[in-house]
Amino acid sequence: MPELTGGCHCGNIAVTVLLTAAPEACRPRTCDCDFCRKHGAAWVSDPQGSLRIRIGVGTEVQGYRQGAAIAEMLLCRRCGVLIAALWQGQRLYGVVNATALAANDRFGATVPVSPKQLSAQEKTSRWQSLWFADVEVSGR
Ligand SMILES: [Zn+2]
């Protein structure tokens, strides 16, 4: 499994991602909601992979509710980098911002998506089928 690492700019948040395919075969999704556009986010996930987020100073991490207020965007409060989106369902689901990964330039071309058109229930079923289902956040 390809392992990719990355994190925020100041180093307070570190991420490790395991994918089942090479990053070249993965096309990050650019969401057209106002929040993601303002951040230039491009989302990567693998339902068979894993996402690990390690936080240095928990009080320096900001959560921000987005996506019908059911997803939590995880940002570094010091440097402002958007790291991940998380959703607590029966388990913790997540997606990582490709621009926070060191291998960002290895990914395929981005593909635009528009989940804002989905209902809350359609969103959560989409996340359950598309996002990492093996997610751990430590240090919060
Ligand atoms: Zn930071």
Side-chain angles (χ1 to χ4, degrees), residues 98-119:
T99 66
L101 297 173
N104 183 33
D105 57 355
R106 290 178 55 195
F107 287 110
T110 57
V111 54
V113 294
S114 190
K116 69 182 180 188
Q117 298 172 16
L118 303 176
S119 71

Side-chain angles (χ1 to χ4, degrees), residues 3-78:
E3 180 181 280
L4 308 179
T5 57
C8 71
H9 185 254
C10 75
N12 187 40
I13 306 175
V15 291
T16 304
V17 165
L18 280 176
L19 301 175
T20 52
E24 288 79 2
C26 171
R27 299 187 65 185
R29 301 180 298 275
T30 53
C31 168
D32 67 348
C33 86
D34 288 343
F35 180 85
C36 288
R37 286 169 53 183
K38 284 176 189 289
H39 275 281
W43 300 106
V44 163
S45 57
D46 185 332
Q48 310 304 325
S50 68
L51 169 63
R52 297 286 177 268
I53 300 173
R54 293 183 311 282
I55 296 167
V57 181
T59 52
E60 295 293 326
V61 170
Q62 182 73 46
Y64 181 73
R65 291 277 157 189
Q66 252 296 111
I70 38 182
E72 180 188 29
M73 315 306 282
L74 196 71
L75 303 106
C76 180
R77 222 177 246 182
R78 281 186 198 151

